[in-house]
Amino acid sequence: MKANGILRRLWDEFIHGGHLLSLGMVSIVYTASLLLEMDISWDFALIIYLGAQAVYLFNRYEEREMDLLGNPERTRHIEKHIKEIRLAVVLFPLAILVILICIGNWPGLIFVGSLLLLGFLYSKPLKNVTRQVIGFKNLFVALMAGLLVLFLVTYYSAGVSIAPFLLFVFVSLRSFVNTTAFDIKDIESDKRAGLQTVAVVFGPSRLRRILSAIS
């Protein structure tokens, strides 16, 4: 029973603590590196993981009350680890800064710094844009995922070609479909928050047809 309890807590942390999503971001750049025939190093994978975790945890921390309706289990998990989340949101970006300074990758530092800033801003001032612009949330998340491909090229100073741009478009569209589909379960909470997500505006039935067409 004790072992089952430990495994359950680990599983809850893996899912609700954002690790699955952060590893998903790493998998995006890893897949892109295979297609572009580039070798990625441990430092790059770690930067992607830590950056995704920092942005994800900050967002869930800021939106925990709004998420209570759509995902109460995740909200309860977040509230149990408030102190750890606050610490992680500070330490993870600092770790990224140290790594990039140590290896002297200044273009990578500027690029990832911009991505982190945009990610943190979304949970605060940019959230209001979602109340006025239809689908801003979905487009924002999709573009952030797609920009990881361009970050990969920037980090390793790869030459300019059409291939990274095509991957950027593909990843952005694929991410738009995924995040928009997930928003179906958050329709009620997003309505109460006044967010004009694509799911809220078009409804589940029409949304499925739209996403099918994009796919």
Side-chain angles (χ1 to χ4, degrees), residues 26-116:
V26 176
S27 73
I28 288 175
V29 294
Y30 177 69
T31 303
S33 73
L34 293 177
L35 294 172
L36 296 172
E37 298 182 338
M38 298 171 60
D39 294 324
I40 63 172
S41 51
W42 67 268
D43 48 286
F44 180 76
L46 182 60
I47 286 170
I48 295 295
Y49 176 79
L50 293 177
Q53 272 294 101
V55 171
Y56 176 86
L57 290 174
F58 182 74
N59 179 261
R60 292 308 174 200
Y61 171 77
E62 290 294 327
E63 297 184 357
R64 62 190 186 279
E65 293 183 5
M66 188 177 73
D67 284 346
L68 186 60
L69 179 62
N71 201 329
E73 189 174 355
R74 182 175 65 194
T75 300
R76 286 193 293 268
H77 179 84
I78 294 297
E79 290 181 340
K80 286 180 184 177
H81 301 88
I82 292 294
K83 292 182 179 179
E84 293 92 335
I85 289 173
R86 289 173 177 167
L87 186 62
V89 168
V90 174
L91 291 182
F92 289 175
L94 285 178
I96 292 173
L97 178 64
V98 170
I99 292 172
L100 289 169
I101 289 178
C102 287
I103 64 178
N105 193 325
W106 307 116
L109 178 60
I110 295 173
F111 203 118
V112 77
S114 300
L115 290 179
L116 285 172

Coordinates of all heavy atoms in Angstrom, one line a residue, residues 26-116:
V26 N 10.3 19.0 -25.4 CA 11.6 18.5 -25.7 C 11.5 17.5 -26.9 O 12.3 17.5 -27.8 CB 12.2 17.7 -24.5 CG1 13.5 17.1 -24.9 CG2 12.4 18.7 -23.4
S27 N 10.4 16.8 -27.0 CA 10.2 15.8 -28.1 C 10.0 16.5 -29.4 O 10.4 16.0 -30.4 CB 9.0 14.9 -27.8 OG 7.8 15.6 -27.9
I28 N 9.4 17.7 -29.3 CA 9.2 18.5 -30.6 C 10.5 18.9 -31.2 O 10.8 18.7 -32.4 CB 8.3 19.8 -30.3 CG1 6.9 19.4 -30.0 CG2 8.4 20.8 -31.4 CD1 6.0 20.6 -29.6
V29 N 11.4 19.4 -30.3 CA 12.7 19.9 -30.9 C 13.6 18.7 -31.2 O 14.4 18.7 -32.2 CB 13.4 20.8 -29.9 CG1 12.7 22.1 -29.7 CG2 13.6 20.1 -28.5
Y30 N 13.4 17.6 -30.5 CA 14.2 16.4 -30.8 C 13.8 15.8 -32.2 O 14.6 15.5 -33.1 CB 14.0 15.3 -29.8 CG 14.7 14.0 -30.1 CD1 16.1 13.9 -30.1 CD2 14.0 12.9 -30.4 CE1 16.8 12.8 -30.4 CE2 14.7 11.7 -30.8 CZ 16.0 11.6 -30.7 OH 16.7 10.5 -31.1
T31 N 12.4 15.8 -32.4 CA 11.9 15.3 -33.7 C 12.4 16.3 -34.8 O 12.8 15.8 -35.9 CB 10.4 15.3 -33.7 OG1 10.0 14.4 -32.7 CG2 9.9 14.7 -35.0
A32 N 12.3 17.6 -34.6 CA 12.8 18.6 -35.6 C 14.3 18.4 -35.9 O 14.7 18.5 -37.0 CB 12.5 20.0 -35.1
S33 N 15.1 18.1 -34.8 CA 16.5 17.9 -35.1 C 16.8 16.6 -35.9 O 17.7 16.6 -36.8 CB 17.2 17.7 -33.7 OG 16.9 16.4 -33.1
L34 N 15.9 15.6 -35.8 CA 16.1 14.4 -36.6 C 15.8 14.7 -38.1 O 16.5 14.3 -39.0 CB 15.2 13.3 -36.1 CG 15.5 12.7 -34.8 CD1 14.5 11.6 -34.4 CD2 16.9 12.1 -34.8
L35 N 14.7 15.5 -38.3 CA 14.3 15.8 -39.6 C 15.3 16.8 -40.3 O 15.5 16.7 -41.5 CB 12.9 16.5 -39.6 CG 11.7 15.5 -39.2 CD1 10.4 16.3 -39.0 CD2 11.5 14.4 -40.2
L36 N 15.9 17.6 -39.5 CA 16.8 18.6 -40.0 C 18.3 18.0 -40.0 O 19.2 18.7 -40.4 CB 16.8 19.9 -39.2 CG 15.5 20.7 -39.3 CD1 15.5 21.8 -38.3 CD2 15.2 21.2 -40.7
E37 N 18.4 16.8 -39.6 CA 19.7 16.1 -39.5 C 20.7 16.9 -38.6 O 21.8 17.2 -39.0 CB 20.2 15.8 -40.9 CG 19.4 14.9 -41.7 CD 19.9 14.6 -43.1 OE1 20.8 15.4 -43.6 OE2 19.5 13.6 -43.7
M38 N 20.2 17.3 -37.4 CA 21.0 18.0 -36.5 C 21.2 17.2 -35.2 O 20.2 16.5 -34.8 CB 20.4 19.4 -36.2 CG 20.3 20.3 -37.3 SD 19.4 21.8 -37.0 CE 20.4 22.5 -35.6
D39 N 22.3 17.3 -34.6 CA 22.5 16.6 -33.3 C 22.3 17.6 -32.2 O 22.9 18.7 -32.2 CB 23.9 16.0 -33.2 CG 24.2 14.9 -34.2 OD1 23.2 14.1 -34.4 OD2 25.3 14.8 -34.7
I40 N 21.4 17.2 -31.2 CA 21.2 18.1 -30.1 C 21.9 17.6 -28.8 O 22.1 16.4 -28.7 CB 19.7 18.3 -29.7 CG1 19.1 17.0 -29.3 CG2 19.0 18.9 -30.9 CD1 17.6 17.2 -28.8
S41 N 22.4 18.5 -28.0 CA 23.2 18.2 -26.8 C 22.3 18.2 -25.6 O 21.2 18.8 -25.6 CB 24.3 19.1 -26.7 OG 23.9 20.5 -26.8
W42 N 22.8 17.7 -24.5 CA 22.0 17.7 -23.2 C 21.6 19.1 -22.7 O 20.5 19.2 -22.2 CB 22.8 17.0 -22.1 CG 24.0 17.7 -21.7 CD1 25.3 17.6 -22.2 CD2 24.1 18.7 -20.7 NE1 26.1 18.5 -21.5 CE2 25.4 19.2 -20.6 CE3 23.1 19.3 -19.8 CZ2 25.8 20.2 -19.7 CZ3 23.5 20.3 -18.9 CH2 24.9 20.7 -18.9
D43 N 22.5 20.0 -22.9 CA 22.2 21.4 -22.4 C 21.0 22.0 -23.1 O 20.2 22.7 -22.5 CB 23.5 22.3 -22.6 CG 24.1 22.2 -24.0 OD1 24.7 21.2 -24.3 OD2 23.9 23.2 -24.8
F44 N 20.9 21.7 -24.4 CA 19.8 22.3 -25.2 C 18.5 21.6 -24.7 O 17.5 22.3 -24.5 CB 19.9 22.0 -26.7 CG 18.8 22.6 -27.5 CD1 18.7 23.9 -27.8 CD2 17.8 21.7 -28.0 CE1 17.6 24.4 -28.5 CE2 16.8 22.2 -28.8 CZ 16.7 23.5 -29.0
A45 N 18.5 20.3 -24.6 CA 17.3 19.6 -24.1 C 16.9 20.1 -22.7 O 15.7 20.2 -22.4 CB 17.5 18.1 -24.1
L46 N 17.9 20.3 -21.8 CA 17.6 20.7 -20.5 C 17.0 22.1 -20.5 O 16.1 22.4 -19.7 CB 18.9 20.7 -19.6 CG 18.8 21.1 -18.2 CD1 17.8 20.2 -17.4 CD2 20.1 21.1 -17.5
I47 N 17.5 23.0 -21.3 CA 17.0 24.4 -21.4 C 15.5 24.4 -21.8 O 14.7 25.1 -21.3 CB 17.9 25.2 -22.4 CG1 19.2 25.5 -21.8 CG2 17.1 26.5 -22.8 CD1 20.2 26.1 -22.7
I48 N 15.2 23.6 -22.8 CA 13.8 23.5 -23.3 C 12.9 23.0 -22.1 O 11.8 23.5 -21.9 CB 13.7 22.5 -24.5 CG1 14.4 23.1 -25.7 CG2 12.2 22.3 -24.8 CD1 13.9 24.3 -26.2
Y49 N 13.4 21.9 -21.4 CA 12.6 21.4 -20.4 C 12.4 22.4 -19.2 O 11.2 22.6 -18.8 CB 13.3 20.1 -19.8 CG 12.6 19.5 -18.6 CD1 11.4 18.7 -18.8 CD2 13.0 19.7 -17.3 CE1 10.8 18.2 -17.7 CE2 12.4 19.2 -16.2 CZ 11.3 18.4 -16.4 OH 10.6 17.9 -15.4
L50 N 13.4 23.0 -18.8 CA 13.3 23.9 -17.6 C 12.5 25.1 -18.0 O 11.7 25.6 -17.2 CB 14.7 24.4 -17.2 CG 15.6 23.3 -16.6 CD1 17.0 23.9 -16.2 CD2 15.0 22.8 -15.3
G51 N 12.7 25.6 -19.3 CA 11.9 26.8 -19.7 C 10.4 26.5 -19.8 O 9.6 27.3 -19.3
A52 N 10.1 25.3 -20.3 CA 8.7 24.9 -20.4 C 8.1 24.7 -19.0 O 6.9 25.2 -18.8 CB 8.6 23.6 -21.2
Q53 N 8.8 24.1 -18.1 CA 8.4 23.9 -16.8 C 8.1 25.3 -16.1 O 7.1 25.4 -15.4 CB 9.4 23.1 -16.0 CG 9.2 21.6 -16.0 CD 7.9 21.2 -15.4 OE1 6.9 20.9 -16.1 NE2 7.9 21.0 -14.1
A54 N 9.0 26.2 -16.2 CA 8.9 27.5 -15.5 C 7.6 28.2 -16.0 O 6.8 28.7 -15.2 CB 10.1 28.4 -15.8
V55 N 7.4 28.3 -17.3 CA 6.2 28.9 -17.9 C 5.0 28.2 -17.5 O 4.0 28.8 -17.1 CB 6.4 29.1 -19.4 CG1 5.1 29.6 -20.1 CG2 7.5 30.0 -19.8
Y56 N 5.0 26.9 -17.6 CA 3.8 26.1 -17.3 C 3.4 26.3 -15.8 O 2.2 26.5 -15.5 CB 4.1 24.6 -17.6 CG 2.9 23.7 -17.2 CD1 1.8 23.5 -18.0 CD2 2.9 23.1 -15.9 CE1 0.8 22.7 -17.6 CE2 1.8 22.3 -15.5 CZ 0.8 22.1 -16.4 OH -0.3 21.3 -16.0
L57 N 4.4 26.2 -14.9 CA 4.0 26.3 -13.5 C 3.6 27.7 -13.1 O 2.6 27.8 -12.3 CB 5.3 25.9 -12.7 CG 5.7 24.5 -12.7 CD1 7.0 24.3 -11.9 CD2 4.6 23.6 -12.1
F58 N 4.2 28.7 -13.7 CA 3.7 30.1 -13.5 C 2.3 30.3 -14.0 O 1.4 30.9 -13.3 CB 4.6 31.1 -14.2 CG 4.3 32.5 -13.9 CD1 4.6 33.1 -12.7 CD2 3.7 33.3 -14.9 CE1 4.2 34.4 -12.5 CE2 3.4 34.6 -14.7 CZ 3.6 35.2 -13.4
N59 N 2.0 29.7 -15.1 CA 0.6 29.9 -15.7 C -0.4 29.1 -14.8 O -1.5 29.7 -14.5 CB 0.6 29.3 -17.1 CG -0.8 29.4 -17.7 OD1 -1.5 28.4 -17.7 ND2 -1.2 30.5 -18.2
R60 N -0.1 27.9 -14.4 CA -1.0 27.2 -13.5 C -1.2 27.8 -12.2 O -2.2 27.8 -11.6 CB -0.5 25.7 -13.4 CG -0.6 24.9 -14.7 CD -2.0 25.0 -15.3 NE -2.1 24.4 -16.6 CZ -3.0 24.7 -17.5 NH1 -3.9 25.6 -17.3 NH2 -3.0 24.0 -18.7
Y61 N -0.1 28.4 -11.7 CA -0.2 29.1 -10.4 C -1.1 30.3 -10.5 O -1.9 30.5 -9.6 CB 1.2 29.5 -10.0 CG 1.3 30.5 -8.8 CD1 1.1 30.0 -7.5 CD2 1.5 31.8 -8.9 CE1 1.1 30.8 -6.4 CE2 1.5 32.7 -7.8 CZ 1.3 32.2 -6.6 OH 1.3 33.0 -5.5
E62 N -1.0 31.1 -11.6 CA -1.8 32.3 -11.7 C -3.2 31.9 -12.0 O -4.1 32.7 -11.7 CB -1.2 33.1 -12.9 CG 0.1 33.8 -12.6 CD 0.0 34.8 -11.5 OE1 -1.0 35.5 -11.4 OE2 1.0 35.0 -10.7
E63 N -3.5 30.8 -12.7 CA -4.8 30.5 -13.1 C -5.5 29.4 -12.3 O -6.5 28.8 -12.7 CB -4.8 30.1 -14.6 CG -4.3 31.2 -15.5 CD -4.4 30.8 -17.0 OE1 -4.8 29.6 -17.3 OE2 -4.1 31.6 -17.9
R64 N -4.9 29.1 -11.1 CA -5.4 27.9 -10.4 C -6.9 28.1 -9.9 O -7.6 27.1 -9.9 CB -4.6 27.7 -9.1 CG -4.5 28.8 -8.1 CD -3.4 28.6 -7.1 NE -3.4 29.5 -6.0 CZ -2.8 30.7 -6.1 NH1 -2.2 31.1 -7.3 NH2 -2.8 31.6 -5.1
E65 N -7.3 29.3 -9.6 CA -8.7 29.5 -9.3 C -9.7 29.3 -10.4 O -10.7 28.7 -10.3 CB -8.9 30.9 -8.6 CG -8.2 31.1 -7.3 CD -8.4 32.4 -6.7 OE1 -9.3 33.2 -7.3 OE2 -7.9 32.8 -5.7
M66 N -9.3 29.8 -11.6 CA -10.1 29.7 -12.8 C -10.1 28.2 -13.3 O -11.2 27.7 -13.8 CB -9.5 30.6 -13.9 CG -10.4 30.6 -15.2 SD -9.8 31.7 -16.4 CE -8.4 30.8 -17.0
D67 N -9.1 27.5 -13.1 CA -9.0 26.1 -13.5 C -9.8 25.1 -12.5 O -9.9 24.0 -12.9 CB -7.5 25.6 -13.5 CG -6.8 26.1 -14.8 OD1 -7.5 26.6 -15.7 OD2 -5.6 26.1 -14.8
L68 N -10.2 25.7 -11.4 CA -10.9 24.8 -10.4 C -12.1 24.1 -11.0 O -12.4 23.0 -10.7 CB -11.3 25.6 -9.2 CG -11.9 24.9 -8.0 CD1 -10.9 23.8 -7.5 CD2 -12.3 25.8 -6.9
L69 N -12.8 24.8 -11.9 CA -14.0 24.3 -12.5 C -13.7 23.2 -13.5 O -14.3 22.1 -13.5 CB -14.9 25.4 -13.1 CG -16.2 24.9 -13.8 CD1 -17.1 24.3 -12.8 CD2 -16.8 26.1 -14.5
G70 N -12.8 23.5 -14.4 CA -12.4 22.5 -15.5 C -11.5 21.4 -15.1 O -11.6 20.3 -15.7
N71 N -10.6 21.6 -14.1 CA -9.7 20.6 -13.7 C -9.4 20.7 -12.3 O -8.3 21.1 -11.8 CB -8.4 20.7 -14.6 CG -7.6 19.5 -14.6 OD1 -7.6 18.7 -13.6 ND2 -6.9 19.2 -15.7
P72 N -10.3 20.3 -11.4 CA -10.2 20.5 -9.9 C -9.0 19.7 -9.4 O -8.3 20.1 -8.4 CB -11.5 20.0 -9.4 CG -12.1 19.1 -10.4 CD -11.6 19.7 -11.7
E73 N -8.7 18.5 -10.0 CA -7.7 17.6 -9.4 C -6.3 18.3 -9.6 O -5.5 18.3 -8.7 CB -7.7 16.3 -10.2 CG -6.7 15.3 -9.5 CD -6.9 13.9 -10.2 OE1 -7.8 13.7 -11.0 OE2 -6.1 13.0 -9.8
R74 N -6.1 18.9 -10.8 CA -4.8 19.6 -11.0 C -4.7 20.9 -10.1 O -3.6 21.1 -9.6 CB -4.8 20.1 -12.5 CG -3.5 20.8 -12.9 CD -3.4 21.1 -14.3 NE -4.4 22.0 -14.7 CZ -4.8 22.2 -16.0 NH1 -4.2 21.6 -17.0 NH2 -5.7 23.1 -16.3
T75 N -5.8 21.6 -9.9 CA -5.8 22.7 -9.1 C -5.4 22.4 -7.6 O -4.6 23.0 -7.0 CB -7.2 23.4 -9.1 OG1 -7.5 23.8 -10.4 CG2 -7.1 24.7 -8.2
R76 N -6.0 21.3 -7.1 CA -5.6 20.8 -5.8 C -4.2 20.4 -5.7 O -3.5 20.7 -4.7 CB -6.5 19.6 -5.4 CG -8.0 20.0 -5.1 CD -8.7 18.8 -4.4 NE -8.9 17.7 -5.3 CZ -9.9 17.5 -6.1 NH1 -10.9 18.4 -6.1 NH2 -10.0 16.5 -6.9
H77 N -3.6 19.8 -6.7 CA -2.2 19.5 -6.7 C -1.4 20.7 -6.7 O -0.3 20.8 -6.0 CB -1.9 18.6 -8.0 CG -0.5 18.2 -8.1 ND1 0.0 17.1 -7.5 CD2 0.6 18.8 -8.7 CE1 1.3 17.0 -7.7 NE2 1.7 18.0 -8.5
I78 N -1.7 21.7 -7.5 CA -0.9 23.0 -7.6 C -1.0 23.6 -6.2 O 0.1 24.1 -5.7 CB -1.5 23.9 -8.6 CG1 -1.3 23.3 -10.0 CG2 -0.9 25.3 -8.5 CD1 0.1 23.2 -10.4
E79 N -2.1 23.7 -5.5 CA -2.2 24.4 -4.3 C -1.4 23.6 -3.2 O -1.0 24.3 -2.2 CB -3.7 24.5 -3.9 CG -4.5 25.5 -4.7 CD -5.9 25.6 -4.4 OE1 -6.4 24.7 -3.7 OE2 -6.5 26.6 -4.7
K80 N -1.2 22.4 -3.3 CA -0.4 21.6 -2.3 C 1.1 22.0 -2.4 O 1.8 21.7 -1.5 CB -0.6 20.1 -2.6 CG -1.9 19.5 -2.1 CD -1.9 18.1 -2.4 CE -3.3 17.4 -2.0 NZ -3.3 16.0 -2.3
H81 N 1.5 22.5 -3.6 CA 2.9 22.7 -3.8 C 3.2 24.2 -4.2 O 4.1 24.4 -5.0 CB 3.4 21.8 -4.9 CG 3.2 20.3 -4.6 ND1 2.1 19.6 -4.9 CD2 4.1 19.4 -4.0 CE1 2.2 18.4 -4.6 NE2 3.4 18.2 -4.0
I82 N 2.5 25.1 -3.6 CA 2.7 26.5 -3.9 C 4.1 27.0 -3.7 O 4.7 27.7 -4.5 CB 1.7 27.4 -3.1 CG1 0.2 27.1 -3.5 CG2 2.0 28.9 -3.2 CD1 -0.1 27.6 -4.9
K83 N 4.7 26.6 -2.5 CA 6.0 27.1 -2.2 C 7.1 26.6 -3.2 O 7.9 27.3 -3.7 CB 6.4 26.7 -0.8 CG 5.7 27.4 0.3 CD 6.1 27.0 1.7 CE 5.4 27.7 2.8 NZ 5.8 27.3 4.1
E84 N 6.9 25.3 -3.5 CA 7.9 24.7 -4.5 C 7.7 25.3 -5.9 O 8.7 25.5 -6.6 CB 7.6 23.1 -4.6 CG 7.9 22.4 -3.3 CD 6.7 22.3 -2.4 OE1 5.8 23.1 -2.5 OE2 6.7 21.3 -1.6
I85 N 6.5 25.6 -6.3 CA 6.2 26.2 -7.6 C 6.9 27.6 -7.7 O 7.5 27.9 -8.7 CB 4.7 26.3 -7.9 CG1 4.2 24.8 -8.1 CG2 4.4 27.2 -9.1 CD1 2.7 24.8 -8.3
R86 N 6.7 28.4 -6.6 CA 7.3 29.7 -6.6 C 8.8 29.7 -6.7 O 9.4 30.4 -7.5 CB 6.9 30.5 -5.3 CG 5.4 30.9 -5.2 CD 5.1 31.4 -3.9 NE 3.7 31.9 -3.8 CZ 3.1 32.2 -2.6 NH1 3.8 32.0 -1.5 NH2 1.9 32.6 -2.6
L87 N 9.4 28.7 -6.0 CA 10.8 28.5 -6.1 C 11.3 28.1 -7.5 O 12.3 28.6 -8.0 CB 11.3 27.5 -5.0 CG 12.8 27.3 -4.8 CD1 13.4 28.6 -4.3 CD2 13.0 26.2 -3.8
A88 N 10.6 27.1 -8.1 CA 10.9 26.6 -9.4 C 10.8 27.7 -10.5 O 11.7 27.8 -11.4 CB 10.0 25.4 -9.7
V89 N 9.8 28.6 -10.4 CA 9.6 29.6 -11.4 C 10.8 30.6 -11.4 O 11.1 31.2 -12.4 CB 8.3 30.4 -11.1 CG1 8.2 31.6 -11.9 CG2 7.1 29.5 -11.4
V90 N 11.5 30.7 -10.2 CA 12.7 31.6 -10.1 C 13.9 30.8 -10.5 O 14.8 31.3 -11.3 CB 12.8 32.2 -8.7 CG1 14.1 32.9 -8.5 CG2 11.6 33.0 -8.3
L91 N 14.1 29.6 -10.0 CA 15.3 28.9 -10.1 C 15.5 28.4 -11.6 O 16.7 28.3 -12.1 CB 15.4 27.7 -9.1 CG 15.6 28.1 -7.7 CD1 15.7 26.9 -6.8 CD2 16.8 29.0 -7.5
F92 N 14.5 27.9 -12.2 CA 14.6 27.3 -13.5 C 15.2 28.3 -14.6 O 16.1 28.0 -15.3 CB 13.3 26.7 -14.0 CG 12.9 25.5 -13.3 CD1 11.7 24.9 -13.5 CD2 13.8 24.9 -12.4 CE1 11.3 23.7 -12.8 CE2 13.4 23.7 -11.7 CZ 12.2 23.1 -11.9
P93 N 14.6 29.6 -14.6 CA 15.2 30.5 -15.6 C 16.6 30.9 -15.2 O 17.4 31.1 -16.1 CB 14.2 31.8 -15.4 CG 12.9 31.2 -15.0 CD 13.3 30.1 -14.1
L94 N 16.9 30.9 -13.9 CA 18.3 31.2 -13.5 C 19.2 30.1 -13.9 O 20.4 30.4 -14.4 CB 18.4 31.4 -11.9 CG 17.8 32.7 -11.4 CD1 17.9 32.7 -9.8 CD2 18.6 33.9 -11.9
A95 N 18.8 28.9 -13.9 CA 19.6 27.8 -14.3 C 19.9 27.9 -15.8 O 21.0 27.6 -16.3 CB 18.9 26.5 -14.0
I96 N 18.8 28.3 -16.6 CA 19.0 28.5 -18.0 C 20.0 29.6 -18.3 O 20.9 29.4 -19.2 CB 17.6 28.8 -18.7 CG1 16.7 27.6 -18.6 CG2 17.8 29.3 -20.1 CD1 15.3 27.9 -19.0
L97 N 19.9 30.6 -17.5 CA 20.9 31.8 -17.7 C 22.3 31.3 -17.5 O 23.2 31.7 -18.2 CB 20.5 32.9 -16.7 CG 21.4 34.1 -16.7 CD1 21.3 34.8 -18.1 CD2 21.0 35.1 -15.6
V98 N 22.5 30.6 -16.4 CA 23.8 30.1 -16.0 C 24.4 29.2 -17.2 O 25.6 29.3 -17.6 CB 23.8 29.3 -14.7 CG1 25.1 28.6 -14.5 CG2 23.5 30.3 -13.6
I99 N 23.6 28.3 -17.7 CA 24.0 27.3 -18.7 C 24.4 28.1 -20.0 O 25.5 27.9 -20.5 CB 22.9 26.4 -19.1 CG1 22.6 25.4 -17.9 CG2 23.2 25.6 -20.3 CD1 21.4 24.5 -18.1
L100 N 23.6 29.1 -20.4 CA 23.9 29.8 -21.6 C 25.1 30.7 -21.5 O 25.9 30.9 -22.4 CB 22.7 30.6 -22.0 CG 21.5 29.7 -22.6 CD1 20.3 30.5 -22.7 CD2 21.9 29.1 -23.9
I101 N 25.3 31.3 -20.3 CA 26.5 32.2 -20.0 C 27.7 31.3 -20.0 O 28.8 31.7 -20.6 CB 26.3 32.9 -18.7 CG1 25.3 34.0 -18.9 CG2 27.7 33.6 -18.3 CD1 25.0 34.8 -17.6
C102 N 27.7 30.1 -19.4 CA 28.8 29.2 -19.3 C 29.3 28.8 -20.7 O 30.5 28.6 -20.9 CB 28.5 28.0 -18.4 SG 28.4 28.4 -16.7
I103 N 28.3 28.5 -21.6 CA 28.7 28.0 -22.9 C 28.9 29.2 -23.9 O 29.3 29.0 -25.0 CB 27.7 27.0 -23.5 CG1 26.4 27.6 -23.7 CG2 27.6 25.8 -22.6 CD1 25.3 26.7 -24.3
G104 N 28.5 30.4 -23.5 CA 28.7 31.6 -24.3 C 27.8 31.7 -25.5 O 28.2 32.2 -26.5
N105 N 26.6 31.2 -25.4 CA 25.7 31.2 -26.5 C 24.7 32.4 -26.4 O 23.6 32.3 -25.8 CB 24.9 29.9 -26.5 CG 24.1 29.7 -27.8 OD1 23.6 30.7 -28.4 ND2 24.0 28.5 -28.3
W106 N 25.2 33.5 -26.9 CA 24.4 34.8 -26.7 C 23.2 34.9 -27.6 O 22.1 35.3 -27.1 CB 25.3 36.0 -26.9 CG 26.6 35.9 -26.1 CD1 27.9 35.8 -26.6 CD2 26.7 35.9 -24.7 NE1 28.7 35.7 -25.5 CE2 28.0 35.8 -24.3 CE3 25.7 36.0 -23.7 CZ2 28.5 35.7 -23.0 CZ3 26.2 35.9 -22.3 CH2 27.5 35.8 -22.0
P107 N 23.2 34.4 -28.8 CA 22.0 34.4 -29.6 C 20.9 33.5 -29.0 O 19.7 33.8 -28.9 CB 22.4 33.8 -31.0 CG 23.9 34.1 -31.1 CD 24.4 34.0 -29.7
G108 N 21.4 32.3 -28.4 CA 20.4 31.4 -27.7 C 19.8 32.1 -26.5 O 18.7 31.9 -26.2
L109 N 20.7 32.9 -25.8 CA 20.2 33.5 -24.6 C 19.1 34.6 -24.9 O 18.1 34.7 -24.2 CB 21.4 34.2 -23.9 CG 21.1 35.0 -22.6 CD1 20.5 34.2 -21.6 CD2 22.4 35.7 -22.1
I110 N 19.4 35.3 -26.0 CA 18.4 36.4 -26.4 C 17.1 35.7 -26.8 O 16.0 36.1 -26.4 CB 18.9 37.2 -27.5 CG1 20.1 38.0 -27.0 CG2 17.9 38.2 -28.0 CD1 20.9 38.8 -28.1
F111 N 17.2 34.6 -27.6 CA 16.0 33.9 -28.1 C 15.2 33.3 -27.0 O 14.0 33.5 -26.9 CB 16.4 32.9 -29.1 CG 15.3 32.5 -30.1 CD1 15.5 32.7 -31.4 CD2 14.1 32.0 -29.6 CE1 14.5 32.3 -32.3 CE2 13.1 31.6 -30.5 CZ 13.3 31.8 -31.9
V112 N 15.8 32.5 -26.1 CA 15.1 31.9 -25.1 C 14.6 32.9 -24.0 O 13.5 32.7 -23.4 CB 16.0 30.7 -24.4 CG1 17.0 31.3 -23.4 CG2 15.1 29.7 -23.7
G113 N 15.4 33.9 -23.8 CA 14.9 35.0 -22.9 C 13.6 35.6 -23.4 O 12.7 35.9 -22.6
S114 N 13.5 35.8 -24.7 CA 12.3 36.4 -25.3 C 11.1 35.4 -25.1 O 10.0 35.8 -24.8 CB 12.6 36.7 -26.8 OG 13.6 37.7 -26.9
L115 N 11.4 34.1 -25.4 CA 10.3 33.1 -25.2 C 9.8 33.1 -23.8 O 8.6 33.0 -23.6 CB 10.8 31.8 -25.7 CG 11.1 31.5 -27.2 CD1 11.6 30.1 -27.4 CD2 9.8 31.8 -28.0
L116 N 10.7 33.1 -22.8 CA 10.3 33.1 -21.4 C 9.5 34.3 -21.1 O 8.5 34.2 -20.3 CB 11.6 32.9 -20.5 CG 12.2 31.6 -20.5 CD1 13.6 31.7 -19.7 CD2 11.3 30.6 -19.8

